[in-house]
Amino acid sequence: MFWDRESEILARPLLERLQLGHLQETVRRVARRVPFYRQKFAEAGVKPEDIKSLDDVRRLPFTTGADLRAIYPNGLVAVEAHEAVRLHTSSGTTGKPKAVFFSRRDIRNSAELMARSLVMTGVTNKDVFQNMMSYGLFTGGLIMHYGAERVGCLVIPVGPGTSERQLMLMQDFGTTAVHILPSYALYFAGFLAQRGVNPRTDLTLRRAFVGAEPHTEETRRRIEQALGVDVYNSYGLTEMNGPGVAFECEHKAGLHLWEDHFLLEIIDPAAGEPLPEGQPGELVLTTLRREAMPLIRYRTRDITSIIPEPCLCGRTHHRLNRISGRTDDMLIVRGVNIFPQQVERILMSMPQVGPNYVIILDGLDDMAVKVELAAAGFDGDVEHLDTLRRQLVEKLKTELFVRPNVELVPAGSLPVAEGKAKRVIDRRSL
Ligand code: AMP
Ligand code: ZN
């Protein structure tokens, strides 16, 4: 199903011509209106008229999260103050957040992209859409809300309420689609099991949209099994509107990035140079239609790769592979590079293991993984427990090249975050 068929299946040469026009316009606008970019362009010795092809984007300077933090509470705004109608800030783990401003048109465009994203998974105006993401400065609430409303769904803006309340609303209003953090989806499935609720027979859920935090294919499969739904990966970041940047279609085989709104590059994060199509690297995005706050070559720090083959759905917008980590997520343990997702993949492939885990780095360079057992994962036999623990250590060692300590803890004993899950505690720097 298509929301905006013409834009979604635009032939690549046309799409690229459209991108170039918008890129040139964006560069001209920020050079005129945003002192930060005027200065950066001067330092790089580049003028708007130098952008003659899409490849010329490489002549432009990068924008980083640090740039946005440095200018906070202002943003890199290209409109008059009264033309901005909405502020969102990034969740930022440390220090100042990043302020992102939206004009009326930006809000409309973000809702359009969200609508496209939902409709390509099969959502229609008959759906009852329960938005379990936080409303407020975080974009996961409002941006998704506007998109689902645009499609015509009945939207339940519950936000991250208690599981009890979520369940009550699902039952009372016949929820068919949810927007939910993957870590919370797993927790919620456990809650349903505890309550004796079988989602396949007792609820009307059909689809779950999960994003906002890294998760693995194994986690998707777990959520699908536990909730009896189709799970679609949703990627976005506050700096680029929030959700609706890249989304999976009905084939669930990579995320279509809406290239008529965002210019996509994959670069080598260390060298800053573009990588050949298909090779994993850092995703860099340039907004093509942003009015209030255009961003040039924004370093997302997210690691992914382009899937060069066309998708069966007929959309021409490139697909990205699942985000495999962030450049600043990488842990270096005993000289070895480790991404938390590698640990998650191993843990979630073991049915005896529950959904919640945490990686603890301590001492000189010791790595420990604390993980919950599945609710039905412990038969009371201590020997079985030890066998499972040893199996996990071996599997992790083979994957990571570092032998971590593994501690199995009872189901439900690790803290559950209200927002994005915190998977790493690094005490080494204390
Ligand atoms: P925020 O701006 O607070 O919404 O955070 C955006 C960041 O969340 C992105 O840069 C990614 O690191 C992460 N993120 C969002 N969606 C996904 C996803 N589907 N898979 C992995 N990471 C994601
Ligand atoms: Zn597709």
Side-chain angles (χ1 to χ4, degrees):
M1 272 195 293
F2 289 87
W3 173 257
D4 178 1
R5 193 161 195 282
E6 205 183 314
S7 306
E8 294 173 47
I9 62 162
L10 212 54
R12 294 268 341 155
L14 286 178
L15 178 56
E16 285 166 18
R17 197 164 345 130
L18 186 84
Q19 287 185 309
L20 178 60
H22 286 304
L23 176 66
Q24 290 168 327
E25 160 66 15
T26 299
V27 171
R28 270 197 304 270
R29 250 164 56 75
V30 298
R32 214 170 48 232
R33 291 175 163 245
V34 187
F36 169 88
Y37 281 122
R38 201 176 310 132
Q39 191 185 335
K40 278 249 195 181
F41 290 176
E43 281 165 15
V46 60
K47 295 196 179 63
E49 49 278 20
D50 295 334
I51 307 303
K52 297 194 176 75
S53 73
L54 284 178
D55 281 346
D56 288 333
V57 72
R58 294 175 198 168
R59 307 181 57 172
L60 296 168
F62 291 118
T63 311
T64 64
D67 293 330
L68 295 187
R69 280 202 186 90
I71 200 169
Y72 177 92
N74 302 320
L76 300 175
V77 178
V79 291
E80 299 298 322
H82 68 88
E83 291 174 278
V85 299
R86 172 95 66 83
L87 168 73
H88 280 287
T89 67
S90 73
S91 47
T93 40
T94 49
K96 294 280 190 197
K98 300 163 231 165
V100 180
F101 295 85
F102 294 70
S103 70
R104 271 202 178 79
R105 177 140 56 97
D106 295 334
I107 297 285
R108 199 169 55 234
N109 280 340
S110 66
E112 270 291 305
L113 295 186
M114 210 54 261
R116 271 190 208 175
S117 305
L118 292 173
V119 166
M120 79 174 160
T121 70
V123 168
T124 70
N125 60 4
K126 306 226 166 49
D127 274 282
V128 177
F129 192 102
Q130 191 159 329
N131 192 0
M132 298 162 77
M133 294 271 192
S134 167
Y135 278 73
L137 287 169
F138 175 54
T139 50
L142 283 170
I143 300 286
M144 179 62 89
H145 181 108
Y146 275 48
E149 243 180 36
R150 203 167 185 87
V151 175
C153 304
L154 170 66
V155 186
I156 308 178
V158 52
T162 62
S163 299
E164 241 101 339
R165 197 171 149 84
Q166 304 286 1
L167 173 60
M168 183 192 82
L169 292 166
M170 279 174 195
Q171 287 175 322
D172 292 349
F173 297 99
T175 300
T176 55
V178 291
H179 182 211
I180 187 170
L181 285 169
S183 51
Y184 184 53
L186 288 172
Y187 174 83
F188 187 68
F191 165 83
L192 292 183
Q194 219 175 32
R195 282 304 187 79
V197 176
N198 178 348
R200 285 184 173 76
T201 51
D202 304 338
L203 299 176
T204 45
L205 293 180
R206 307 246 308 270
R207 293 184 180 79
F209 304 103
V210 308
E213 62 185 13
H215 57 289
T216 56
E217 196 58 42
E218 284 71 17
T219 295
R220 181 223 299 267
R221 233 170 281 137
R222 274 196 172 210
I223 302 172
E224 292 195 324
Q225 270 158 18
L227 292 180
V229 292
D230 277 309
V231 170
Y232 301 88
N233 192 355
S234 153
Y235 170 79
L237 61 164
T238 314
E239 298 88 317
M240 300 284 143
N241 299 348
V245 174
F247 218 85
E248 283 183 331
C249 69
E250 79 244 47
H251 298 293
K252 295 194 263 185
L255 303 102
H256 288 284
L257 184 124
W258 298 122
E259 291 185 89
D260 53 342
H261 284 254
F262 304 103
L263 185 67
L264 151 69
E265 294 173 82
I266 303 282
I267 65 160
D268 172 342
E273 292 301 322
L275 289 169
E277 209 166 82
Q279 220 157 292
E282 180 181 348
L283 175 66
V284 171
L285 295 173
T286 298
T287 64
L288 294 174
R289 307 229 189 154
R290 268 283 194 75
E291 197 173 51
M293 195 166 137
L295 291 174
I296 306 288
R297 303 193 83 196
Y298 186 72
R299 304 273 306 243
T300 67
R301 299 197 175 203
D302 293 317
I303 299 166
T304 180
S305 52
I306 295 177
I307 303 175
E309 296 79 30
C311 185
L312 291 173
C313 72
R315 287 178 184 81
T316 49
H317 301 243
H318 275 320
R319 284 170 299 160
L320 298 179
N321 274 306
R322 180 180 290 283
I323 308 292
S324 62
R326 286 177 57 84
T327 54
D328 49 1
D329 246 10
M330 193 180 76
L331 309 168
I332 303 180
V333 182
R334 297 176 190 247
V336 179
N337 299 346
I338 295 175
F339 285 100
Q341 279 89 325
Q342 290 175 280
V343 175
E344 178 172 316
R345 207 175 320 129
I346 301 286
L347 297 178
M348 295 305 132
S349 67
M350 307 280 281
Q352 307 97 312
V353 166
N356 210 351
Y357 70 93
V358 59
I359 300 166
I360 301 166
L361 302 172
D362 216 339
L364 278 179
D365 224 355
D366 298 322
M367 177 175 178
V369 177
K370 230 179 188 181
V371 58
E372 286 181 5
L373 286 162
F378 180 42
D379 57 8
D381 189 330
V382 186
E383 233 172 79
H384 288 169
L385 205 59
D386 199 50
T387 312
L388 173 62
R389 199 187 55 75
R390 268 186 281 120
Q391 263 177 351
L392 280 171
V393 171
E394 281 316 306
K395 277 180 178 261
L396 287 166
K397 184 178 163 255
T398 311
E399 165 78 24
L400 309 175
F401 305 112
V402 167
R403 179 188 287 272
N405 234 322
V406 171
E407 191 184 339
L408 293 162
V409 299
S413 64
L414 290 176
V416 181
E418 239 229 3
K420 304 188 186 206
K422 186 160 171 34
R423 298 299 194 193
V424 179
I425 300 173
D426 193 343
R427 298 201 190 107
R428 292 176 302 180
S429 47
L430 292 182

